[in-house]
Amino acid sequence: MVLFELLSRWIDDAPQPTPSAQCFQSPAELVVLKQLDEKLKATLREPFRTDYPSILAAARDRLSDEFVVGENLQD
């Protein structure tokens, strides 16, 4: 769900900030992300639930406990 939200922001919500072209080595990477977004849309049921915001918040909290944000993703 966290990945779904991220991809949805990048792909569906045009005014949202997106990674610059420098983040990608090939346009094929963007194609893969769009395909993954479509597969998640077809698979996930949680985004249609009324309690989705709390489900998403719980997933984000659970994953945030596993990762400490540094200056970049390698940190």
Side-chain angles (χ1 to χ4, degrees), residues 12 50 52 57 64:
D12 297 334
T50 57
Y52 178 64
S64 293

Side-chain angles (χ1 to χ4, degrees), residues 7 10-11 24 28-38:
L7 292 175
W10 287 355
I11 295 168
F24 303 100
E29 294 171 346
L30 292 171
V31 171
V32 169
L33 290 176
K34 287 182 179 186
Q35 290 173 347
L36 181 56
D37 181 56
E38 289 301 318

Side-chain angles (χ1 to χ4, degrees), residues 17-52:
T18 60
S20 71
Q22 295 173 340
C23 291
F24 303 100
Q25 292 183 358
S26 165
E29 294 171 346
L30 292 171
V31 171
V32 169
L33 290 176
K34 287 182 179 186
Q35 290 173 347
L36 181 56
D37 181 56
E38 289 301 318
K39 288 186 185 279
L40 289 171
K41 285 179 186 173
T43 305
L44 292 175
R45 299 291 166 240
E46 291 85 356
F48 302 102
R49 293 178 45 166
T50 57
D51 60 342
Y52 178 64

